[in-house]
Amino acid sequence: MAQTEINDISADSSLVDPEKDLLGYANFAKYLADGICKMTFPEGFVIAVYGSWNSGKSTLLNFVVHYLQQKPEEEQPIIVPFNPWLLSGHQNITRRFFEQLQNFLSKESSVPKGLRERLADFAAIISDIPLPYAQTGKVLAALLDEKDKEAAQLKEEVENNLVQQQRRIVITIDDIDRLGAEDIKELFRVFKAMRNFANVVYLLVFDKEVVLKKIVDTKEVSGDAYLEKVIQVNFELPIPDKIVLRRLLFKKLGDIFFETPKHQIDQTLWYDIYFQGIDHFITHIRDVARFINTLTLTYPTVKDEVNPADYIAIESLRVFSPNIYSIIHQNPHVFVGELNLSIEELNILLNTWIAQLTDEDKQPVKNLLMSLFPKLKAILGNTYVDEKDEIEWRKQLRVCSLKIFPIYFRLSLSGGELSNIQRKIIFSFIGNPEKFRNHLIELTKQKLPGGITQARLFIEQLENSTEQEIPINYIPPVVEALFDVSDQLSLCQDDSNNILAFGDELIISRFILRLLHQIDEISRFELLKKAINQGKALAIINHENKTLKEQKSQYSIGKFSLEREGLVNAEHLKELEEIVNTMEVKSDTKDK
């Protein structure tokens, strides 16, 4: 199947063959084409079909043209396509409209030569004079200057020639809603001025709401009244029901995955993923278009390396629930790998994530997460996950395999900062110091582009946050944990050869000082005393000792007021120094 057929529901790649109709528009298009050919009317007739973006209105227009072209020769009209959007802002739309009309009519031998000549002359004049018809509603003969009179005379000659024209002229116009306000008004003024061009039908398709917002002027009539003066008959494209949308989506998915061997699709898994999750998000043609457009781009980069059902599910989260998609991408340890969370902890995390969604989206997203990640289902559903399952998941190229997981996110951009949800997740571990320390170490394994780790991102972002953003009760356990595990924290794996890069101990130390300055002096002293006595991070302890000594030096020469700006007062500073010196002596003795 040609690749160009995959994206044919987008606004710029509409269908042209009614045989491929999946939206139920073909019958309407056929009857509309019949009506255009059979109806009688004394002068020009304007028909509009309203539809929102990606509703299939361009496809409907193509279907009407298809059926008009299938008419017997004696009934078949002359079809003149015009797309003003391609000309907007570059050329005079009025001139181009008549040039297009004249160009198509000149190719038709059945069109009288006089009509073609008069139309060309009329186009040359009309494009250079104002079109005040929207304001006055009068014919060109009412205009005063000589050029206007000439245009009025030519218009009358064109009308007389059109009366003699045997074949109906159908002018199809798409993408009006893409024009600017002034271009839209100019085009509508052309339709009004040419209304008494006999045997001419204008078929317009556009988004009514978009056009109304652009043309409404409080000084003039309302938008609806404005359109009523231009358009004789209008139709609203219906919103397709779930069954139609599902059929359309599955057709497009089949086009994308048509080379995938059938045995690679676990029907039970796919059934659960679709009906318990994805189906909820498919409510409009534009949903199908967004989803299919994304898969069309991303799937070729991972083809044959991922499980098709899992990949469709992950990409559905990218399109319809991007925050959850980002959380999965940035927190693989929660979703894949060893089971290191309790039911209570996992529930807290899931509830934190899901809480940001609308009520109607919560259960479908949760269903998708449970289908994609057996680790979550094992804990929340109290089921058993065997170590051998990881081997099977890897073989099936599932996203729940620790090794396969990164492949699913090749076309994902890593954010420059942690989201509020991610910070809440990290802070949720503080009640359990051991898990909090383990989580900090886990964050150092998650490397971002440029060598920065999630741990450094966490520290730097909080260092730059306001005091109100970090609860006071969080500070003691965070400081203790940093003292305890900082020797194991690798914050930037690509900075080792950069002589100007800040070392890990400096970054962590600055963060500790930033936190300590948010609590009172006695609490700082007690916290430092406890952390230094129990801490295992000698590099940080030595760096803090150096900082404290610098404070003492500045204090002694009167350059720095410890009581006003320092970390601790002079008495507490002396006691902390003694503790650090004692630990250094013990460390030296042990090394010998």
Side-chain angles (χ1 to χ4, degrees):
M1 183 172 294
Q3 185 71 17
T4 54
E5 293 181 14
I6 290 176
N7 207 23
D8 57 14
I9 59 170
S10 72
D12 298 314
S13 303
S14 50
L15 290 171
V16 296
D17 184 359
E19 291 295 324
K20 296 181 179 180
D21 177 37
L22 294 174
L23 299 174
Y25 291 168
N27 281 338
F28 174 79
K30 183 177 184 302
Y31 287 120
L32 182 57
D34 289 344
I36 289 173
C37 292
K38 295 177 180 179
M39 70 177 181
T40 57
F41 52 95
E43 52 188 27
F45 201 85
V46 182
I47 303 169
V49 178
Y50 303 139
S52 60
W53 174 81
N54 254 329
S55 62
K57 56 185 181 295
S58 296
T59 289
L60 174 67
L61 182 63
N62 291 341
F63 287 176
V64 173
V65 170
H66 171 87
Y67 286 119
L68 289 174
Q69 293 173 335
Q70 300 303 310
K71 294 292 181 183
E73 185 175 350
E74 63 274 13
E75 290 184 41
Q76 191 175 124
I78 299 171
I79 302 171
V80 181
F82 182 64
N83 193 318
W85 178 64
L86 299 178
L87 310 170
S88 178
H90 299 286
Q91 300 183 49
N92 183 303
I93 287 181
T94 304
R95 175 187 292 276
R96 291 296 295 160
F97 172 81
F98 284 104
E99 286 180 351
Q100 183 86 330
L101 180 60
Q102 194 272 338
N103 180 52
F104 269 77
L105 295 183
S106 67
K107 299 175 183 178
E108 298 289 337
S109 58
S110 62
V111 176
K113 182 179 180 181
L115 173 59
R116 285 176 278 169
E117 292 175 347
R118 295 292 84 190
L119 194 61
D121 294 337
F122 180 68
I125 293 179
I126 195 67
S127 60
D128 292 328
I129 61 176
L131 294 173
Y133 319 115
Q135 287 76 23
T136 66
K138 297 180 181 179
V139 295
L140 285 171
L143 300 177
L144 301 178
D145 60 48
E146 291 302 318
K147 183 175 288 189
D148 293 344
K149 291 179 180 179
E150 184 180 359
Q153 182 180 351
L154 285 171
K155 178 174 181 287
E156 185 177 350
E157 292 180 17
V158 170
E159 290 170 359
N160 293 333
N161 278 279
L162 282 171
V163 172
Q164 303 172 28
Q165 161 66 20
Q166 297 300 313
R167 294 176 63 189
R168 182 152 293 172
I169 299 172
V170 177
I171 303 173
T172 64
I173 305 179
D174 198 356
D175 290 331
I176 293 176
D177 42 34
R178 297 192 183 191
L179 297 174
E182 291 306 313
D183 287 338
I184 292 175
K185 290 181 179 180
E186 180 179 349
L187 195 60
F188 283 167
R189 285 195 289 266
V190 171
F191 300 153
K192 291 188 69 177
M194 305 303 112
R195 178 176 290 180
N196 48 348
F197 271 13
N199 223 15
V200 176
V201 176
Y202 301 93
L203 179 56
L204 324 176
V205 294
F206 58 88
D207 187 326
K208 178 183 176 181
E209 296 305 316
V210 172
V211 168
L212 288 179
K213 287 180 182 178
K214 291 182 178 181
I215 65 174
V216 166
D217 188 335
T218 55
K219 297 179 181 179
E220 298 180 3
V221 295
S222 69
D224 284 315
Y226 188 100
L227 292 181
E228 287 174 4
K229 292 185 176 182
V230 178
I231 297 165
Q232 279 75 57
V233 177
N234 65 77
F235 302 93
E236 291 273 0
L237 279 182
I239 299 176
D241 61 27
K242 269 283 189 182
I243 296 175
V244 171
L245 291 174
R246 193 178 299 149
R247 185 167 64 244
L248 176 63
L249 175 64
F250 275 60
K251 169 64 169 60
K252 302 308 170 185
L253 288 175
D255 292 341
I256 295 174
F257 293 87
F258 75 100
E259 291 183 346
T260 301
K262 194 169 183 178
H263 70 268
Q264 291 186 14
I265 308 293
D266 182 330
Q267 288 293 320
T268 301
L269 173 64
W270 170 233
Y271 184 93
D272 289 343
I273 283 174
Y274 184 78
F275 284 102
Q276 294 187 31
I278 298 174
D279 192 60
H280 163 77
F281 295 104
I282 306 300
T283 61
H284 198 280
I285 294 178
R286 59 175 170 266
D287 299 325
V288 178
R290 289 172 56 208
F291 193 24
I292 290 300
N293 289 343
T294 299
L295 286 168
T296 300
L297 172 65
T298 64
Y299 181 65
T301 67
V302 296
K303 184 180 177 183
D304 301 324
E305 297 182 76
V306 296
N307 181 286
D310 276 11
Y311 192 75
I312 294 172
I314 286 291
E315 290 300 281
S316 74
L317 291 172
R318 182 206 290 267
V319 174
F320 303 115
S321 189
N323 287 343
I324 297 297
Y325 174 87
S326 179
I327 287 171
I328 296 172
H329 176 212
Q330 297 176 10
N331 297 276
H333 61 286
V334 175
F335 298 91
V336 297
E338 297 180 0
L339 300 174
N340 53 11
L341 296 174
S342 68
I343 294 177
E344 181 180 357
E345 290 166 336
L346 188 58
N347 267 309
I348 290 174
L349 292 182
L350 282 176
N351 290 335
T352 302
W353 298 329
I354 299 300
Q356 66 182 296
L357 303 173
T358 60
D359 289 341
E360 59 269 23
D361 289 350
K362 289 178 180 178
Q363 192 58 51
V365 168
K366 194 170 184 178
N367 292 341
L368 283 173
L369 294 177
M370 301 285 275
S371 295
L372 289 169
F373 302 104
K375 177 180 176 180
L376 302 186
K377 192 172 184 179
I379 297 177
L380 298 180
N382 197 26
T383 59
Y384 177 71
V385 176
D386 195 308
E387 291 183 3
K388 296 180 181 178
D389 290 336
E390 170 65 29
I391 299 176
E392 187 63 25
W393 296 335
R394 187 184 305 178
K395 185 187 302 182
Q396 296 173 355
L397 305 177
R398 296 207 58 192
V399 67
C400 53
S401 167
L402 187 60
K403 183 176 181 180
I404 301 298
F405 182 92
I407 300 174
Y408 282 75
F409 299 93
R410 282 182 179 167
L411 280 177
S412 301
L413 295 174
S414 298
E417 61 178 29
L418 297 173
S419 67
N420 289 331
I421 294 296
Q422 289 174 284
R423 284 193 285 175
K424 288 180 180 179
I425 292 171
I426 297 172
F427 283 135
S428 69
F429 290 101
I430 289 179
N432 187 320
E434 182 180 355
K435 287 191 175 294
F436 181 68
R437 289 192 293 269
N438 291 339
H439 192 71
L440 288 178
I441 295 172
E442 182 66 34
L443 289 176
T444 68
K445 300 176 183 178
Q446 299 176 31
K447 184 178 177 181
L448 303 174
I452 297 295
T453 66
Q454 289 277 21
R456 178 164 179 172
L457 203 59
F458 170 66
I459 290 173
E460 289 185 336
Q461 186 175 342
L462 289 187
E463 185 179 1
N464 294 326
S465 63
T466 64
E467 294 183 5
Q468 289 75 22
E469 289 181 291
I470 306 174
I472 296 297
N473 61 311
Y474 282 7
I475 293 175
V478 170
V479 171
E480 290 184 47
L482 289 170
F483 268 103
D484 198 35
V485 302
S486 56
D487 282 347
Q488 304 173 61
L489 298 184
S490 177
L491 303 183
C492 187
Q493 300 169 12
D494 290 351
D495 278 352
S496 57
N497 296 323
N498 187 343
I499 62 173
L500 295 178
F502 296 122
D504 290 350
E505 67 276 5
L506 177 59
I507 295 173
I508 296 171
S509 176
R510 281 177 53 82
F511 182 46
I512 289 175
L513 293 175
R514 169 78 167 81
L515 294 176
L516 289 175
H517 273 292
Q518 297 181 44
I519 59 179
D520 62 82
E521 194 274 341
I522 295 178
S523 299
R524 287 199 294 266
F525 167 68
E526 294 296 336
L527 182 54
L528 279 171
K529 182 178 178 180
K530 179 180 177 182
I532 293 174
N533 274 320
Q534 297 180 354
K536 302 174 183 177
L538 292 180
I540 295 297
I541 292 172
N542 289 333
H543 190 278
E544 295 300 337
N545 187 36
K546 180 181 178 182
T547 301
L548 292 170
K549 287 181 177 179
E550 289 176 352
Q551 287 189 1
K552 182 180 179 181
S553 173
Q554 291 169 340
Y555 175 76
S556 64
I557 60 177
K559 292 183 178 180
F560 197 85
S561 172
L562 287 173
E563 289 79 9
R564 182 169 59 87
E565 299 180 33
L567 195 63
V568 294
N569 62 36
E571 181 181 350
H572 288 156
L573 176 59
K574 182 178 180 180
E575 186 174 343
L576 291 176
E577 280 185 296
E578 291 175 354
I579 296 173
V580 172
N581 290 334
T582 300
M583 292 188 69
E584 289 179 338
V585 171
K586 289 181 179 180
S587 178
D588 291 340
T589 303
K590 186 178 180 180
D591 291 340
K592 293 178 180 179

